[in-house]
Amino acid sequence: MALKEEIAKRRTFGIISHPDAGKTTLTEKLLLFGGAIQTAGAVKSNKIKMHARSDWMEIEKQRGISVATSVMGFNYNGKKINLLDTPGHQDFAEDTYRTLTAVDSVIMVIDCVKGVEIQTEKLMEVCRMRKTPVICFINKLDREGRDPYDLLDEIEEKLDIKVRPLSWPISMGKTFKGVYSLYNKTLHLFQPSKTKIEQDGEVIEDIKDPIIDKEVGESYANQLREDVELIEGVYPEFDVNEYLAGNVAPVFFGSAVNNFGVKELLDCFIELAPAPKPRETEERVIAPDENKFSGFIFKIHANMDPNHRNRIAFIRVCAGKFERGANYYHVRSDKKIRFSNVTAFMAQEKELVDEAWPGDIVGLYDTGNLKIGDTISEGEKGIYKGIPSFSPEIFKEVVNKDAMKTKQLEKGLNQLMEEGVAQLFSYELGARKVVGTVGALQFEVIQHRLKHEYGASCDFMSMNLYKACWISSKDKKKLNEFVDSKYRHIAKDKDGKLVFMAESRAWLTMVQDNFPDIEFHFTSEF
Ligand code: G4P
């Protein structure tokens, strides 16, 4: 019974946005409500400022901050909320994609001045792939932004998801009056406050109520009535199941920095957002309330202290109760495994925990046994699905600069890849190794860390590659023939899966046409 209750209490989610839309600010305000922090300004932004792009100390510092803010747990209105942080810098998008595999829902922050930006589009693609329920928060209403109807249309169009406003702004910018909650029919008047927590709104039984005219003035009140009528006419009634299925995104308006609209968002969020749901392994679907524990590793933080090669592996508990010190099963290596040093992340403090429930994230101290994507269980033999690698965008060949340190280079590269810093593709031909990343910054990070943590040095040689495509075929013979005929362009990923390294889009299309029996995939899971 305890298990079912604990599951029902959990809300595990991530906030995504284009940098600067207000993710850090919103995170901070949510933590204020949860009592996890007492003052504003306590959450450090984990974004790497533009001027610090190649400042190594800065990147190292960011790694430190990001381990502290990786997971922020707090209690609010009887719910246990786990907020997973995602890196804002687009070069670390792969990290964000992986974090999104560990959440049950997402809040997407959009800047009302800038609208939907490119990074949001990419992240939304990942949410769509997984059918993750999304709530939109349109931020910065204290600025002259775009017309709310335009913003909603843009979200539908660019993010390919239907929207349903659950609150509506009364003007914006200098004349911003507040928001009307269509969800629980309350009026919230805007009072800028960077430090205080907003009060409950005023309940308005009837939109015609003259109290609205008194509060915001007659013309704004009439505009609001028109808007509400239009919205109720144009948008179908909000259906929570459509949201839970990832088809409709409820939309809220507010101003995070002014702590406005945030409480409403949070109150609706804990009511609407899903508790942990069943998840699929290679063998079957596992419900969170199954008695036996299982979970998967989605993030690894390594070598925070270069003198101690310890790493923290972040596991998402999917089913059953996790207990510190218990004997578990490491599916990939087919071995028993025990964790005695386990931390949970509450209110930005790391604390030792003895147990965790589905939806929780715990940090396991590891000496190098764990990899991203690993499943740990109480006997379950299937590996959790849904933690794919995506084709990188930039590829460079590794050139060893110090032949005496070849072993160190290999070890360092392997460990950094296990940590998910980048992807390594090994060609049989000439034993060439190619690193693939989403952004350019990772190459500098890899070089720096190889040198400082492993004493190895390498160069990267640019390669003209378009995509890495994982290949498969129902016909084994055809696959072998393909590999033989294209052996110069075939590599293996970290798990030994076959990858076709395509040089250009046109060439890939041609190869696809010529080999209809081969399937080409842009993610490692198919
Ligand atoms: P990010 O994590 O998504 O990158 O964004 P972040 O919260 O750091 O916010 C980016 C900038 O937008 C910050 O200003 C922040 O204060 C501002 N901001 C956030 N919410 C609002 C809002 O509701 N209204 C307005 N007008 N601004 C908002 P900054 O100048 O970059 O940093 P700071 O010095 O103010 O911290």
Side-chain angles (χ1 to χ4, degrees), residues 17 19-25 47 139-140 142-143 255-257:
S17 74
D20 271 342
K23 180 170 72 76
T24 311
T25 314
K47 68 185 161 189
N139 191 27
K140 307 197 185 180
D142 58 318
R143 289 206 181 151
S255 167
V257 79

Side-chain angles (χ1 to χ4, degrees), residues 159-175:
L159 301 182
D160 196 14
I161 185 165
K162 294 224 166 333
V163 295
R164 174 59 164 98
L166 288 188
S167 82
W168 196 253
I170 306 167
S171 187
M172 59 168 71
K174 285 201 186 72
T175 56

Side-chain angles (χ1 to χ4, degrees), residues 255-276:
S255 167
V257 79
N258 288 300
N259 219 337
F260 186 75
V262 178
K263 180 169 184 295
E264 258 187 303
L265 172 74
L266 183 58
D267 287 342
C268 279
F269 170 81
I270 60 167
E271 228 176 275
L272 304 176

Side-chain angles (χ1 to χ4, degrees), residues 42-70:
V43 178
K44 295 278 176 300
S45 166
N46 75 351
K47 68 185 161 189
I48 296 167
K49 302 265 182 219
M50 275 322 269
H51 69 261
R53 265 191 73 99
S54 51
D55 179 340
W56 303 123
M57 282 320 291
E58 194 57 28
I59 290 177
E60 288 301 292
K61 257 198 294 187
Q62 295 298 344
R63 282 213 298 145
I65 292 170
S66 75
V67 81
T69 58
S70 284

